């Protein structure tokens, strides 16, 4: 299986272990770890092992992978007992508030979240 890797990418380095993280879940397609600056009692990032810049870069061939990331987030939410609900967010591009250019799903939960986000 080809897994694109960008040398200068923070999350590629987290996926390959060059930069340490607190693992939450992993499988052949994705890696999930604790956000270093949590915005809720549960704040996990689910990233594809493959380097994809953002949702804006997704191709139809990434459909299975994208679904897998959401499934993994749901599994993590169940494992963490977020039965009252949670939020899965993909910040995309500068207006979307994306600061790391490796696609990631934020899983936020453990408190009531306000809407709309800022
Ligand atoms: P975004 O702003 O949507 O691109 O989200 C990037 C997220 O990555 C932020 O919530 C950061 O707190 C988080 N983050 C940045 N560096 C690290 C790191 N070394 N380990 C874990 N999370 C990180
Ligand atoms: Zn990357």
């Amino acid at each position: 299986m080809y897994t694109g890797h960008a040398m200068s990418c923070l999350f590629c380095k987290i996926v390959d272990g060059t930069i340490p993280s607190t693992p939450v879940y992993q499988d052949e397609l994705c890696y999930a770890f604790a956000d270093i600056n949590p915005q809720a009692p549960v704040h996990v990032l689910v990233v594809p092992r493959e380097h994809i810049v953002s949702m804006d870069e997704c191709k139809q061939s990434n459909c299975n992978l994208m679904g897998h990331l959401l499934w993994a987030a749901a599994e993590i939410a169940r494992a963490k007992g977020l039965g009252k609900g949670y939020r899965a967010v993909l910040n995309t591009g500068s207006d979307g508030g994306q600061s790391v250019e490796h696609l990631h799903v934020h899983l936020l939960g453990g408190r009531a979240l306000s809407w709309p986000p800022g």
Side-chain angles (χ1 to χ4, degrees):
M1 181 184 61
Y2 169 73
T3 54
H5 183 286
M7 295 295 288
S8 62
C9 172
L10 173 66
F11 286 175
C12 281
K13 289 177 180 166
I14 284 179
V15 166
D16 73 18
T18 309
I19 290 176
S21 62
T22 302
V24 173
Y25 171 83
Q26 55 190 310
D27 61 30
E28 72 283 5
L29 292 177
C30 72
Y31 179 62
F33 54 99
D35 196 293
I36 204 167
N37 182 24
Q39 301 301 310
V42 175
H43 189 172
V44 175
L45 301 174
V46 185
V47 310
R49 291 186 180 276
E50 176 182 356
H51 180 80
I52 298 172
V53 169
S54 76
M55 192 165 156
D56 192 43
E57 304 277 315
C58 279
K59 302 176 177 67
Q60 193 169 17
S61 59
N62 299 129
C63 281
N64 182 64
L65 176 59
M66 293 300 287
H68 187 86
L69 298 178
L70 295 181
W71 168 83
E75 283 285 287
I76 294 162
R78 286 187 281 268
K80 293 200 172 283
L82 300 181
K84 288 180 75 179
Y86 54 87
R87 189 170 293 162
V89 177
L90 291 110
N91 294 331
T92 303
S94 55
D95 271 10
Q98 182 175 8
S99 63
V100 178
E101 293 194 338
H102 179 130
L103 190 148
H104 47 282
V105 177
H106 292 261
L107 172 66
L108 296 149
R111 65 171 172 85
L113 298 161
S114 59
W115 189 263

